[in-house]
Amino acid sequence: MEFSNQQNQSLAMQQSVRFTISGKEKNMVAAFFLSLILGPLGLFYSTTVGGIVMTVIGGLILLASKLTESPFLLKWGLIMVWIVSMIWSYNTAKKTIKNAEKRLMFRNAESLLYKILIFILAFAITIPLIVILVYIIKQGVTQVNWHFLTHVPAPVGETGGGILNALVGSFLMVIMAAIVSIPIGMAAGIYLSENAKTKLAHYAGLCVDILQGVPSIVVGIVIYFWIVKPVGTFSAVSGSVALAIMMLPIVIRSTEQTLKMLPDSLKEAALSLGVPYHRVMLKVIVPCGFSGILSGIMLSIARVVGETAPLIFTAFGNPYLSGAVTKPMESLPHLIFTYATSPYDEWHNLAWGASFILLVFVLTLNIITKVITRKWKVQL
Amino acid sequence: MSYLTDTIVKKRKMAENKRLALSNAQLKWENGFRGLLKAMAMVLVLIVIGVFITLVIESWASIKALGVGYLWGKVWDPVSNVYGAYPFLVGTLLTSFIALLISIPFSYAIAIYLGEYNPKGWLSDLLKNTVELIAAVPSVIYGFWALSVLVPMIRSLEIKWQIAPYGVGILTSSLILAVMVIPYGASLGITLIRMTPSQLKEGAYALGATRFEVIRKVVTPYTRSGLFAGVLLSLGRALGETMAVTMVIGNTSALAHTFKDMLFGPGNTMASVIANEFTEADHTEYLSALIELGLVLFCVTVIINIIGKRIITRFSNN
């Protein structure tokens, strides 16, 4: 606990410094209001050095804004100077107060203010979520009906039309991606949890981190050169390979983390009964960690079903209903992207309906995952 | 009699052989399974190496033709075959850093609230779920919402401030990006702040520190490196984010002259220019210049991610 000693020492040093140097006691409230009104000049009341520094900085900002003739710099520069001098004068005045009771009162008030500030900032995040969700539900829910779900988009100028092609396309591509990536991801995850010390595991772990951070558009470019260009056409297969690469890191990490949490005695007991290694893994270890792996898989599906960037250069998009996996295929996020950036109102409405469906699907998957993890007490 | 013993011995031998054969088969299965696991881990490494090599090979034409100067060439004009990445570098860095600046106070507040003030209870569950839902919404939906709500809002503000009313631009994309990266910093921050040893905090309380002082002088310094890593990882996210930014940034490759025009006017990021122009690129040099942008993006995010993860592992091992 070297750290805590240092902490205590530095605290003690600050305390002693505070009580020896400070001379005359100054009123904090007066210091604060003086600098609120007079700015850097008001700072002279509590600290002369600070007053000089802030006045010089203010003067420099005035000079700079005169030279460059930018009112922008003048306005924001002066606001910054004012705020800094207010905080500075309050803090220096606080350090001069000798009465412990009075100091405690201010410290408690500070603590309370900080708590309120943290609370407000933390819960401010709910505002954008609610605004976005409400707006999309309001715009999208009126579009969705049976016709919408069972027809392909209408050409420009005609009303009606639906998103059947995108629904089918998204479903097919995500299923194909899952079929490719779940076995690979689970196998690699088992390897990482079983052989954590080997060199290969180190590099594989590094690669999982890298893959998790790779921008999805880069995956799209690479799959374009791996599959689309040699074959000569955009295809649903290439789209699902791109999605599979996006899914891999999540599946691997969730498998690895879940299996690492299982007690070794499970594996040892099974091995001591003479059960071969692959059966121990597939019949004992994986079923024990099944809920964790399952929730990882569902999270990864929820993530890739909304991915657009890797699909632009691979699956491309298709205004007609198509089940051919070697041809271009539409998907929900791609449909939203193309129709949202189009200039037609009917297409916008179609995109709102599609957004609503996509959002409902993704949020449902997330909520189901939460229920699973809570029921089996998995930590992800 | 001897016939009987013979048959017994024979039967035993047969059983023994059968058992051996079975265990040999199982051994084969076992080794095959181990090999399979190893192969899959290798596949993973190969994918990452393959991604890097593909990017380098495909952008080699532009690397050779333009050299390092590509990164600060100020003009991007495919028609006259002039390629400079500077406008996109500026656009990417500007959007990401503004988004980070906006998001840091909120992620820090969420992390402190859920990690220190209120780790359990229905209110913190609500906040936790909100953060998770924000991370779950697809980026194309954020982009669409920003396009139809945020852009008109910014446009009317710009009219009020008497700036050219584009609506779309760097500021708009930074705002939507800020909302999108808050969960990444916050969720990491929560786990890190909970890892602060309670002896340290209790010691500070025993010395008479208030809660604010404990957070400022014990929790924050202790978790500083980890929080920095969280900021790095969300920077990595912000740099590579494509769809939402593409939809609201305005997509011009021209560089604005003043900072104000740059901030409020349309621009382009590396990811958005790739998304917009990749399928239109009709000659090799254009295409490979675009791929070089992808290569730069890949390298930067890889470096950022590795540094961030390393800081976190070092922090959690302490």
Side-chain angles (χ1 to χ4, degrees), chain A residues 41-342:
Chain A
L41 296 178
L43 193 51
F44 278 107
Y45 167 71
S46 47
T47 154
T48 325
V49 181
I52 292 168
V53 169
M54 291 317 288
T55 316
V56 168
I57 291 176
L60 282 178
I61 285 174
L62 274 179
L63 199 69
S65 65
K66 267 273 162 53
L67 288 177
T68 56
E69 292 176 0
S70 95
F72 186 74
L73 180 68
L74 180 73
K75 196 168 137 197
W76 289 101
L78 284 189
I79 287 176
M80 287 313 289
V81 166
W82 239 255
I83 290 174
V84 170
S85 39
M86 266 149 63
I87 295 170
W88 198 335
S89 74
Y90 174 82
N91 265 330
T92 42
K94 190 178 78 182
K95 282 177 190 163
T96 61
I97 289 177
K98 282 172 185 146
N99 184 349
E101 291 279 314
K102 209 167 158 190
R103 279 164 60 96
L104 189 63
M105 204 180 78
F106 276 106
R107 284 166 60 206
N108 278 334
E110 257 174 13
S111 187
L112 185 70
L113 267 180
Y114 186 71
K115 188 173 180 180
I116 293 169
L117 184 74
I118 287 287
F119 187 82
I120 291 171
L121 280 182
F123 278 88
I125 188 73
T126 50
I127 297 170
L129 181 72
I130 291 171
V131 167
I132 291 172
L133 286 190
V134 165
Y135 191 83
I136 285 165
I137 290 169
K138 205 178 74 192
Q139 295 278 335
V141 82
T142 51
Q143 302 296 324
V144 177
N145 50 38
W146 188 242
H147 181 85
F148 184 78
L149 295 177
T150 53
H151 284 75
V152 297
V156 185
E158 288 176 30
T159 51
I163 55 163
L164 181 65
N165 56 345
L167 283 176
V168 171
S170 265
F171 181 75
L172 276 180
M173 278 195 275
V174 170
I175 290 288
M176 283 194 291
I179 289 173
V180 175
S181 70
I182 289 172
I184 298 180
M186 274 173 67
I190 294 173
Y191 182 82
L192 284 182
S193 73
E194 287 292 305
N195 311 289
K197 293 267 152 59
T198 60
K199 211 157 203 172
L200 178 62
H202 174 74
Y203 287 117
L206 200 67
C207 287
V208 174
D209 289 341
I210 291 174
L211 267 190
Q212 215 159 20
V214 167
S216 48
I217 190 114
V218 173
V219 176
I221 296 180
V222 170
I223 298 300
Y224 176 85
F225 286 109
W226 283 359
I227 299 178
V228 176
K229 215 175 167 202
V231 173
T233 168
F234 295 111
S235 63
V237 174
S238 58
S240 37
V241 172
L243 293 185
I245 290 182
M246 305 292 302
M247 278 177 82
L248 266 181
I250 310 177
V251 178
I252 293 173
R253 274 277 174 255
S254 64
T255 310
E256 188 199 348
Q257 303 289 353
T258 321
L259 296 194
K260 266 188 182 162
M261 280 191 306
L262 294 177
D264 283 341
S265 52
L266 268 178
K267 198 174 83 182
E268 282 156 9
L271 283 174
S272 71
L273 288 174
V275 185
Y277 183 72
H278 62 281
R279 299 198 121 218
V280 175
M281 282 297 135
L282 296 179
K283 296 269 159 107
V284 180
I285 300 294
V286 170
C288 282
F290 184 68
S291 61
I293 300 172
L294 183 70
S295 54
I297 289 170
M298 284 174 56
L299 268 190
S300 66
I301 287 178
R303 162 113 190 271
V304 298
V305 80
E307 279 289 352
T308 326
L311 295 180
I312 307 176
F313 319 136
T314 53
F316 194 65
N318 184 351
Y320 308 107
L321 183 62
S322 157
V325 291
T326 53
K327 292 276 174 323
M329 196 181 264
E330 190 63 272
S331 60
L332 268 179
H334 187 266
L335 179 133
I336 296 170
F337 175 58
T338 40
Y339 283 32
T341 45
S342 75

Side-chain angles (χ1 to χ4, degrees), chain A residues 7 107 136 212 226 370, chain B residues 54 132 141 208 213 217 237:
Chain A
Q7 194 73 31
R107 284 166 60 206
I136 285 165
Q212 215 159 20
W226 283 359
K370 281 213 75 99
Chain B
T54 313
E132 272 166 25
I141 290 183
E213 284 159 352
K217 295 192 172 151
R237 281 276 149 198

Side-chain angles (χ1 to χ4, degrees), chain B:
Chain B
M1 200 63 188
S2 72
Y3 172 74
L4 206 64
T5 40
D6 270 7
T7 44
I8 289 174
V9 168
K10 225 181 219 171
K11 269 191 179 165
R12 274 203 190 143
K13 258 194 181 152
M14 267 169 70
E16 179 73 21
N17 281 342
K18 210 173 167 187
R19 206 174 60 80
L20 269 179
L22 204 70
S23 82
N24 271 342
Q26 283 196 332
L27 212 63
K28 249 178 216 160
W29 270 101
E30 204 174 306
N31 286 334
F33 185 71
R34 280 179 202 271
L36 183 80
L37 295 187
K38 208 168 181 178
M40 289 306 149
M42 277 178 186
V43 163
L44 197 68
V45 180
L46 287 181
I47 287 177
V48 172
I49 295 173
V51 166
F52 181 70
I53 289 176
T54 313
L55 287 174
V56 171
I57 289 176
E58 297 296 339
S59 62
W60 191 246
S62 125
I63 295 175
K64 214 166 60 183
L66 304 165
V68 194
Y70 170 79
L71 286 179
W72 45 85
K74 291 200 172 146
V75 184
W76 177 272
D77 188 3
V79 181
S80 46
N81 238 353
V82 180
Y83 305 100
Y86 185 72
F88 314 130
L89 277 181
V90 170
T92 309
L93 291 180
L94 210 56
T95 43
S96 308
F97 278 107
I98 296 173
L100 270 188
L101 273 185
I102 299 171
S103 76
I104 283 172
F106 294 101
S107 347
Y108 179 74
I110 293 169
I112 289 281
Y113 185 79
L114 289 181
E116 178 65 30
Y117 277 116
N118 196 359
K120 282 193 188 110
W122 66 271
L123 205 59
S124 61
D125 275 349
L126 181 82
L127 189 60
K128 230 179 287 170
N129 289 335
T130 311
V131 172
E132 272 166 25
L133 288 189
I134 283 195
V137 174
S139 70
V140 69
I141 290 183
Y142 279 117
F144 194 15
W145 178 81
L147 195 62
S148 45
V149 179
L150 207 56
V151 168
M153 241 155 76
I154 299 279
R155 192 175 291 145
S156 60
L157 269 185
E158 283 173 343
I159 290 172
K160 214 193 237 167
W161 293 340
Q162 295 174 335
I163 312 167
Y166 289 107
V168 293
I170 302 249
L171 183 71
T172 321
S173 24
S174 311
L175 285 176
I176 196 70
L177 211 47
V179 176
M180 294 172 66
V181 297
I182 284 175
Y184 295 105
S187 59
L188 190 63
I190 296 167
T191 39
L192 292 176
I193 281 171
R194 283 192 187 157
M195 277 159 67
T196 315
S198 52
Q199 301 106 299
L200 286 186
K201 288 192 280 185
E202 282 156 14
Y205 281 126
L207 287 174
T210 62
R211 196 149 204 190
F212 167 64
E213 284 159 352
V214 170
I215 290 171
R216 222 188 71 182
K217 295 192 172 151
V218 178
V219 175
T220 310
Y222 186 82
T223 50
R224 186 172 289 143
S225 61
L227 294 179
F228 174 70
V231 172
L232 265 187
L233 291 184
S234 25
L235 177 67
R237 281 276 149 198
L239 289 177
E241 175 49 50
T242 317
M243 292 333 285
V245 173
T246 307
M247 288 166 93
V248 295
I249 200 163
N251 303 315
T252 44
S253 306
L255 198 61
H257 294 293
T258 63
F259 181 72
K260 200 166 141 189
D261 284 352
M262 212 184 269
L263 189 60
F264 291 100
N268 232 338
T269 66
M270 292 196 270
S272 75
V273 78
I274 298 172
N276 274 316
E277 300 185 6
F278 191 83
T279 43
E280 297 165 7
D282 44 5
H283 45 275
T284 331
E285 207 165 319
Y286 189 9
L287 195 64
S288 67
L290 280 174
I291 297 159
E292 199 178 342
L293 279 182
L295 181 66
V296 172
L297 208 54
F298 177 74
C299 292
V300 170
T301 45
V302 165
I303 291 168
I304 284 180
N305 270 289
I306 289 178
I307 294 175
K309 296 274 177 177
R310 186 149 291 176
I311 294 174
I312 291 170
T313 29
R314 190 178 296 166
F315 181 84
S316 6
N317 287 344
N318 272 355

